Amino acid sequence: MLDILRMDLFRMRKMRAFFVTLIVASLLMAISTFTEKLMRDAYKKLIEEDGDTAAVQELEEDEDAEALLNEDPEVEDMSKPYVDQIYASYISGMFPALMIVIFTVLFVNADHVSGFIKSIGGQVRHRWHIVVSKIICILLYTLIMLLFLLCLQTVLNLVFFGEVSFNDTGKLITYIMLGFLMNGAFAMMAAAITIFTRSNLIGLLVSILDALGMFNLIAMLVNLLLGKADIKFDLNKYMLSYCINQVHYGSTFSSASHELIVAGCFFAVCMAGSLFIFKKKDIA
Amino acid sequence: MSEYLIETKDLTKVFGKFKAVNNVSMHVEKGAIYGFIGKNGAGKTTFMKMICGLSTQTSGSITLFGKSGAGLAEVRRKIGCLIESPGIYPKLNAFDNLKMKGLAMGCYDKKKAEEMLELVGLSHTGKKKSGEFSLGMKQRLGIAMALTGDPEMMVLDEPINGLDPQGIVEVRDTISRLATERGITILISSHILGELSRIATHYGIINQGQLIKELSSDALQAECTARLELRVDNVQIATERLAAANIAHTVVGPEHIHITSNVEYSGEINRDLVNHGVLVKELAVRGQDLEEYYLKLTGGVSNA
């Protein structure tokens, strides 16, 4: 098992997609941060033009207002460009998830596409080692992506805003952990689709459509039809991509328990399915 | 432990209603170079995939190194595979591909990987991506990868397919060296029967999923006994003389006769026929080659 993992880690480092997806995610983050700066500048300018700086100052110093900003994830604190808040806003935007699933599909299927699987598939003691090793690599990649983007956000804040400040490191750590679990489950789903179909195209198509929320539209349609039949059921609540969107900066493990359970179920089912299919299906 | 490294019993693989491999019972002795012959779609690759653990059988059993069932996973590590095209990462160079295989097998050793590249003549390729290699180079890299982990047996499916004459000689020599110098048992399939006959010590002939013949090269030689081919002006008198001398023969054309016994007395036969007024236009001793033998067995055109 460790041997296969060592090989997969070496392969991951050698894959161009590993770096390309990180670079694309970084570029998008830079654009996002730049947009944030423009918005903040415009906001400040607007306030200054209104001559209501005193009110802004008052708002910034008002403890109740600050509490509201911290508690309600939808309300972004415009007073200071906090690294953690801008970072969380970017991560929630599904772009990193998109990059993670693109890498996942390419990584999982690379040995089938190249035929390399024929060189090792018969020689491993247990076929499940191959699947588990890939999943460990994907989870590691997810973590690398989240941590790398946090470091980058810190640098970008310094570049665009000239300062680096964190609002709440406790919340940030919780958010990264939640983000890791949710995105990890999403990557697992993409891996499972790819293992089932052995097709990059299908794997990418389904995963990207899901990341872009296309299946949420289908879920809404199903909800509508169920509603017409007097059945009150919200399918969206059980869609992984929807659940990822529901996890915000400020969410805690208890407040996001439903989302975590859905993600856990997705992970377990996809993992079990992948192991079963990979064991039963001919490798080549 | 069995005397055979590979022993299958009634091995069968069914895809839907199609029996790709039908009750194949194969026996490969230790140290043998076993030539596996059959037309396209005869079931060679499917059989080899089952041996390598890439595909599971529908029924029947496989015994490798005397182990079967759950024990197969352990001994399959002793087998190096090259099935169809070489399984390599085209974006990686030859060394990195070997490193990947070495890491997966838990036996990565930089020096050994370099030796392997030297053995197959790819030590000069440096950082060149393996996707840019010629077909022959890719096949040799595939062989080097199959050799990683010091296998005791190699399963090579069409390793010389698509190679130019130079490439064929290189790969053939490499395979021969592996068998003689390292004592590796080799199961090899090839379309090029002439090449196969130069290295194989045993043969298995498969047709429509069934193993129709299994024999050693000595047995093959005995079965492909030389014959005397005659071209005469009067077949009738010639056959009367041959029958009188109790010599087995077949008339194969208006002027052609094949003699299958007493071949060593070609001079005496010729003199007797001439003495009885038969003009011998041509006389030649010819042996049946592997291809002819194969065609005779399968009753088809050459598409092995």
Side-chain angles (χ1 to χ4, degrees), chain B residues 25-26 34-37 203-207 210-216 219-220 223 293 297:
Chain B
S25 296
M26 180 189 269
Y34 191 104
F36 198 28
I37 309 165
Y203 298 94
I205 298 171
I206 189 170
N207 193 34
Q210 290 182 308
L211 191 69
I212 52 174
K213 191 89 178 177
E214 211 178 16
L215 74 174
S216 69
L220 177 73
E223 288 213 22
Y293 181 76
L297 267 180

Side-chain angles (χ1 to χ4, degrees), chain B residues 119-178:
Chain B
L119 180 78
V120 296
L122 292 175
S123 53
H124 63 283
T125 54
K127 289 188 175 176
K128 188 176 181 179
K129 288 176 184 170
S130 54
E132 294 164 9
F133 286 2
S134 68
L135 193 59
M137 290 164 81
K138 282 182 188 168
Q139 291 286 33
R140 280 183 280 146
L141 178 57
I143 291 174
M145 289 184 60
L147 278 168
T148 307
D150 293 325
E152 290 176 36
M153 186 170 79
M154 289 178 79
V155 177
L156 307 172
D157 183 23
E158 306 281 2
I160 52 177
N161 198 13
L163 299 184
D164 57 21
Q166 177 68 26
I168 289 173
V169 172
E170 285 170 6
V171 171
R172 188 188 67 207
D173 289 350
T174 307
I175 293 168
S176 293
R177 272 208 317 275
L178 291 172

Side-chain angles (χ1 to χ4, degrees), chain A residues 3-4 6-7 10-11 14 16 110-111 114-125 127 282-284, chain B residues 13 49 52-56 73-74 76-77 79 83 85 87-89 96 100-101 103-104 106 129 145:
Chain A
D3 296 329
I4 299 288
R6 260 183 227 122
M7 179 203 71
F10 176 74
R11 179 161 72 95
K14 289 280 176 181
R16 205 183 294 172
D111 50 6
S114 66
F116 184 81
I117 190 75
K118 290 186 293 183
S119 299
I120 58 160
Q123 275 114 358
V124 289
R125 279 196 179 85
R127 278 193 188 181
D282 288 343
I283 288 179
Chain B
K13 178 76 179 180
K49 281 180 181 173
C52 294
L54 299 173
S55 175
T56 47
E74 188 62 41
R76 278 206 175 105
R77 295 177 71 81
I79 303 176
I83 302 290
S85 54
I88 51 176
Y89 279 109
D96 282 345
M100 291 268 296
K101 178 75 192 285
L103 287 171
K129 288 176 184 170
M145 289 184 60

